[in-house]
Amino acid sequence: MQNTNVAYDSKVEGEVIVTQADAVINWIRKHSVWPMPMGLACCAIELMAAGGARFDISRFGMEVMRFSPRQADCMIVAGTVTYKMAEVVRRIYEQMAEPKWVVAMGACASTGGMYRSYATLQGVDRIVPVDVYISGCPPRPEALLDAMIKLQDKIGRERSVKNLTARNAEPAEAELAGAGKES
Amino acid sequence: MAKSEFAHLKERFDYLTERESADHLAVNCPADQLVELCTALRDELGYDLLLDVTAVDWDAQSPRFTGIYHLLSTTKHEYLRIAVDCADSIHPSLPSLCGLYAAANWHERETYDLMGIHYEGHPDLRRILMWDEYPYHPLRKDFPLAGIETPFPADDVAESTNAKVLPAPMAGGPFVSSADGPMSQTEPRARDESWNEQKEKPVE
Ligand code: SF4
């Protein structure tokens, strides 16, 4: 954590660490990202490689890939999103509990890639908000790890407490039911 | 070899004509004899595997659509291509082979989906690749590669995201590599490099 987030002097504070709520929440969140592997095409192979022993995504605290959207908070869209599949991607995104993030892995997920055709959604950002884009066809596992670390940095900069209150202020009861995870 | 093979078939099925082919034996068959022909081929001549069902769109020609079937005999190790013209170019249809070969089921659905050929007698002729409400048959010659604007498959997703099925930005594409030269020099390029996303397409 950066110094702006924590101030600690053992002579002054003793056993107490002074910090900000944002810093604590973000610190917890970013070190337990649970990805939803939305593997749709060849990029998914690199995603699997990143999860395997050689590249070992668990070094960065995000190895808990969950195939249930209810248990995931970061969707890694790895592959070509066809219009037919776009509906599914969006639904899975909607089923994920807040707070949630999306990584568009590879040329296809980011822009449609080489598939400039009638069947392919030209970028997954047309249906879900993307936090990090990864270039490459396919990106190497290192690129995915780099993107996930960038995502961690991004999570670290979020105004979590403010977002909590802002989100709790307006939504209907039904939506709050799924938001229990946040607090 | 192929010639005698055809003569052999012709003796038995006099409605067949030989078709030009660069590889295996190929025959033309009238649509209403297709099931009869394939039944005999499967049961008596050993063509026990249906490998492929597809179709050709001849664009302005008539008949416009030709259904293509590839059979393989796993005992004789011989291929056979059967071509069947669709009489009606507006609503092309062919008899289904689902009753003979289970493999025909999904192949015919695909050909229906992409080419719009109706297979009479198919047990479940739904689209297989595009979504059910899709209004076009994308592999037809008059369909642009980039696609045509259509409503998004799911209404509620379309509502919450404003997404639409839009023609893809071709930007001088399709992107193809030429067949001549080593691979290092034939990276895929836009066919028409006179325009791209930054530069407007020149008007002729
Ligand atoms: S970006 Fe390349 S590797 Fe990834 S899904 Fe698309 S075609 Fe496959």
Side-chain angles (χ1 to χ4, degrees), chain A residues 5-140:
Chain A
N5 288 336
V6 57
Y8 178 62
D9 184 334
S10 62
K11 292 194 191 88
V12 181
E13 277 107 6
E15 293 182 345
V16 178
I17 296 177
V18 179
T19 181
Q20 299 166 332
D22 268 356
V24 175
I25 294 173
N26 291 343
W27 176 65
I28 294 167
R29 280 183 180 167
K30 77 185 201 186
H31 291 289
S32 74
V33 174
W34 287 29
M36 155 88 224
M38 194 76 224
L40 298 174
C42 13
C43 271
I45 304 296
E46 300 298 301
L47 172 63
M48 291 173 225
R54 181 179 289 260
F55 296 98
D56 194 7
I57 201 170
S58 71
R59 289 178 292 160
F60 308 99
M62 51 190 82
E63 79 279 19
V64 200
M65 304 257 180
R66 284 296 128 123
F67 294 87
S68 162
R70 311 273 181 208
Q71 300 171 353
D73 57 7
C74 168
M75 184 157 80
I76 303 177
V77 185
T80 320
V81 187
T82 59
Y83 282 114
K84 198 175 178 182
M85 197 64 188
E87 174 188 348
V88 180
V89 173
R90 175 70 197 186
R91 280 195 209 297
I92 288 177
Y93 174 77
E94 279 168 2
Q95 286 168 10
M96 284 161 52
E98 298 260 2
K100 51 194 171 186
W101 301 275
V102 178
V103 174
M105 180 181 181
C108 286
S110 305
T111 67
M114 59 177 163
Y115 299 104
R116 305 224 173 170
S117 89
Y118 57 90
T120 308
L121 183 71
Q122 301 293 306
V124 74
D125 51 4
R126 299 196 178 195
I127 51 162
V128 290
V130 175
D131 293 280
V132 184
Y133 299 85
I134 314 176
S135 62
C137 177
R140 285 193 52 93

Side-chain angles (χ1 to χ4, degrees), chain B residues 68-131:
Chain B
I68 307 283
Y69 301 83
H70 287 156
L71 300 181
L72 172 71
S73 163
T74 55
T75 45
K76 293 190 288 178
H77 304 291
E78 270 168 20
Y79 291 90
L80 174 64
R81 183 181 305 115
I82 306 171
V84 190
D85 287 337
C86 302
D88 189 340
S89 297
I90 311 293
H91 303 289
S93 82
L94 287 174
S96 170
L97 292 187
C98 283
L100 287 173
Y101 297 99
N105 192 320
W106 283 17
H107 279 299
E108 287 178 356
R109 281 178 64 188
E110 183 183 353
T111 314
Y112 161 69
D113 186 357
L114 301 179
M115 282 291 201
I117 293 175
H118 286 260
Y119 288 90
E120 307 294 337
H122 191 288
D124 181 27
L125 195 64
R126 279 179 299 133
R127 286 180 180 272
I128 194 170
L129 295 171
M130 306 303 283
W131 56 101

Side-chain angles (χ1 to χ4, degrees), chain B residues 6-14:
Chain B
F6 175 72
H8 183 70
L9 279 179
K10 176 90 183 166
E11 223 165 78
R12 172 85 198 271
F13 313 100
D14 56 356

